[in-house]
Each structure stands twice: as structure tokens, then as C-alpha cells.
Amino acid sequence: MTGERPFIGTSWKMNKTRAEAAAFCDTLRASPLAACTEAQLFVIPPFTALAAVADALAETAVIVGAQNAHWADAGAWTGEISPLQVKDAGGTLVEIGHSERRTFFNETDETVALKAEAAIRHGLTPLICIGDTKEEYEAGRTADALRRQTEAALSRIDRQTDTPVLFAYEPVWSIGEGGTPADPGFADEQQAMVKAIITERIGRPLPVLYGGSVNPDNCVVLAKQPNIDGLFIGRSAWDAGGYLGIVRQVLDAIS
């Protein structure tokens, strides 16, 4: 990180009942880190808990987001959630293009671009996930994969937009149970490349977070890399104490 306020957040994926979400929020709200200004904390619950989590954290400095949003404002899209509905539920950020959405739910570079455009249209901050598969990584095609996904995601974003836009590099081979954490130096090289592509395409830099088996043992060394602007944490942050512990470690290391 290069002195800017880092983003440190977690997506709960398909986890937590409303009661479990409330307990997480109670612990987070009781911590001094709920008012943290040295980092931008964010939490992305499932849709079933989005409104409740947004309400519970409304008086804190924590951003609350959704795990997906459609590109249409309304319509016959059974099972989908629109950007307007995300806003109505209290979300201000929306995660787009996670590898699980791309792999299992037919998310494409084109739909990622449409969703990013829709999020910005409604004043939501898109958090656009990009990543290389194990096959691409082993074949030395990481750079090609990240360039394709980054350029596609930016294809509908106006160079003049002042809505915040975030990216997260999440190697597909590093995500989930059994994932292999990326070497911090390798991750930093990819982040630098993605930042260069972003600046080349829209004329300004955007924050690029790292996600992929982030845990208490590697969070500090990752956070200290010059081109990593924050951490997007999975299962290590599903417990509020674990999340707060990582935030505290990172803040202590970079202060």
C-alpha cells in the first residue's frame, strides 16, 4: 500500500442466518474499529441479511454491499436483484464478477461490464473481481486473462465518472477451501499490471485489492506490497473477531 487508506473487507458468500449476521454486527459495532478512519472497512452479506446489516452498521464507518446485482433496473428476471433494490436495502457497494459467479452462474466479461455500468448509474460502488484460473496460471497466461477481464469491465465506464470503482485481483486457484495463497511478490506484480491497464484505459488510477486465501499469517506481508490497495477476505473474516484481528494487524503494520 502506498499511503492511501486501504480497503479491508469480507464477503460472507452463502453463509449466516439473520441471527448470525446480527451477532457479527454486534461485535463489530462494539469495537473501536467500527469508527476506523485509517482504513475503509466493508462487509458484504447475503441478500437475506443486507437490509438488517445496513441498518445495524448505519452509525459506523463500515460500508455495506451486495454480492451481485443485475444490469436492469426492474423486470422479469426471476431470482435476480436490481441495483435499485440494493440501494433500497441500504447497500452502497456491489460485488461484481466473482469467479464463482463466472464459473457456476455463466457470468461473462460482457455481463460484468453491464453490471458495472448499472451500478455506477445508480451511484453504487462496483467492486469488480478479476482472476486467472489454475490452467491460465500454469500456462503463463495470467497477464492475458487479467488484461481481457479488466478491459472488458471498463468498456462501459465513462472516463469522466466520479463514482468510486474498485477492482479485486483474486486468483481462482487461491480462492476457497484448499486454495493456495499467491506469493505476495507475484500478487503485487499482477496488481501493478492491472493498475497500468486501468490508467491506460480510463486515464486515472483505481484501487486494486487482493483477495485469495488472505489469513492472519499473510495479511501483513500482502498489505505491505506497494501495489496492493487493500484486502478482500474470505473465510478468515467470517467470524467478527477474526475480521477485526486482521484489520488490527494490518493497521498496526502500516501505521
Side-chain angles (χ1 to χ4, degrees):
M1 298 174 187
T2 56
E4 295 294 327
R5 186 168 66 145
F7 290 82
I8 309 176
T10 180
S11 170
W12 295 346
K13 304 194 178 186
M14 196 178 71
N15 294 287
K16 296 193 186 301
T17 62
R18 287 180 297 166
E20 291 166 341
F24 183 104
C25 291
D26 287 344
T27 301
L28 179 51
R29 214 171 38 237
S31 168
L33 291 173
C36 175
T37 57
E38 294 86 5
Q40 177 58 72
L41 276 57
F42 65 93
V43 174
I44 306 180
F47 288 123
T48 52
L50 177 57
V53 170
D55 287 345
L57 299 179
E59 301 302 318
T60 73
V62 181
I63 290 174
V64 177
Q67 294 180 21
N68 187 29
H70 201 270
W71 58 81
D73 293 355
W77 299 98
T78 302
E80 290 291 318
I81 302 292
S82 79
L84 284 170
Q85 291 170 320
V86 170
K87 286 186 72 172
D88 184 57
T92 59
L93 176 148
V94 58
E95 181 181 0
I96 298 171
H98 189 277
S99 69
E100 291 156 2
R101 300 295 310 174
R102 294 177 189 257
T103 302
F104 301 113
F105 301 100
N106 302 314
E107 192 91 288
T108 66
D109 288 342
E110 181 182 3
T111 59
V112 167
L114 288 168
K115 291 178 178 187
E117 178 186 38
I120 290 170
R121 186 169 67 246
H122 291 288
L124 297 169
T125 298
L127 172 55
I128 302 167
C129 300
I130 57 173
D132 50 327
T133 64
K134 185 177 181 181
E135 292 74 22
E136 289 167 331
Y137 171 68
E138 291 179 343
R141 292 189 286 112
T142 291
D144 293 339
L146 298 186
R147 174 171 286 277
R148 184 192 77 245
Q149 293 171 25
T150 302
E151 290 182 343
L154 294 170
S155 64
R156 292 175 172 269
I157 295 178
D158 189 330
R159 292 174 68 97
Q160 306 305 317
T161 183
D162 55 5
T163 301
V165 179
L166 307 175
F167 275 78
Y169 171 47
E170 297 196 303
V172 180
W173 42 271
S174 188
I175 295 169
E177 191 172 358
T180 304
D183 175 80
F186 174 83
D188 190 63
E189 289 174 9
Q190 310 320 306
Q191 310 256 148
M193 179 191 64
V194 170
K195 288 184 171 187
I197 294 168
I198 292 169
T199 302
E200 171 190 311
R201 294 289 293 191
I202 66 170
R204 62 189 174 96
L206 297 174
V208 182
L209 287 58
Y210 172 79
S213 296
V214 177
N215 59 58
D217 296 327
N218 64 15
C219 61
V220 168
V221 67
L222 285 165
K224 283 188 169 183
Q225 300 301 311
N227 293 293
I228 292 179
D229 300 315
L231 301 175
F232 193 17
I233 316 162
R235 65 189 63 247
S236 291
W238 291 346
D239 171 79
Y243 176 48
L244 292 168
I246 288 175
V247 173
R248 175 48 62 199
Q249 275 189 262
V250 170
L251 292 181
D252 288 346
I254 66 175
S255 61

